């Protein structure tokens, strides 16, 4: 059995989701990196597809980009 510290586990999780990489420039790059963007019509704050793109691209992301 291999034991991980919290920091090691956190580092593995962040890297596995490509969240330590350079920010993608647009929605196409996000889709290429993660292969799929789930659409959840029941989201309260923001639809999950918008949240995913915003969390990866940052303030440069505009919600209209996903509907093009």
């Amino acid at each position: 059995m291999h034991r991980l510290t919290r920091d090691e586990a956190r580092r593995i999780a962040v890297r596995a989701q490509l969240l330590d990489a350079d920010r993608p420039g647009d929605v196409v790059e996000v889709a290429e990196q993660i292969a799929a963007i789930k659409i959840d019509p029941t989201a309260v704050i923001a639809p999950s597809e918008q949240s995913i793109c915003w969390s990866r691209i940052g303030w440069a992301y505009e919600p209209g980009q996903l509907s093009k």
Side-chain angles (χ1 to χ4, degrees), residues 6-17:
R6 285 183 187 227
D7 286 338
E8 291 169 329
R10 185 178 300 117
R11 194 174 314 116
I12 290 169
V14 167
R15 286 182 181 168
Q17 297 178 55

Side-chain angles (χ1 to χ4, degrees), residues 11-60:
R11 194 174 314 116
I12 290 169
V14 167
R15 286 182 181 168
Q17 297 178 55
L18 301 175
L19 295 174
D20 66 337
D22 292 336
R23 288 191 179 269
D26 60 19
V27 173
V28 173
E29 287 183 45
V30 172
E32 288 173 348
Q33 284 181 350
I34 63 174
I37 298 174
K38 179 184 174 214
I39 297 175
D40 179 6
T42 62
V44 176
I45 296 173
S48 63
E49 68 273 14
Q50 302 293 342
S51 298
I52 290 168
C53 292
W54 185 87
S55 69
R56 291 170 183 273
I57 298 170
W59 293 107

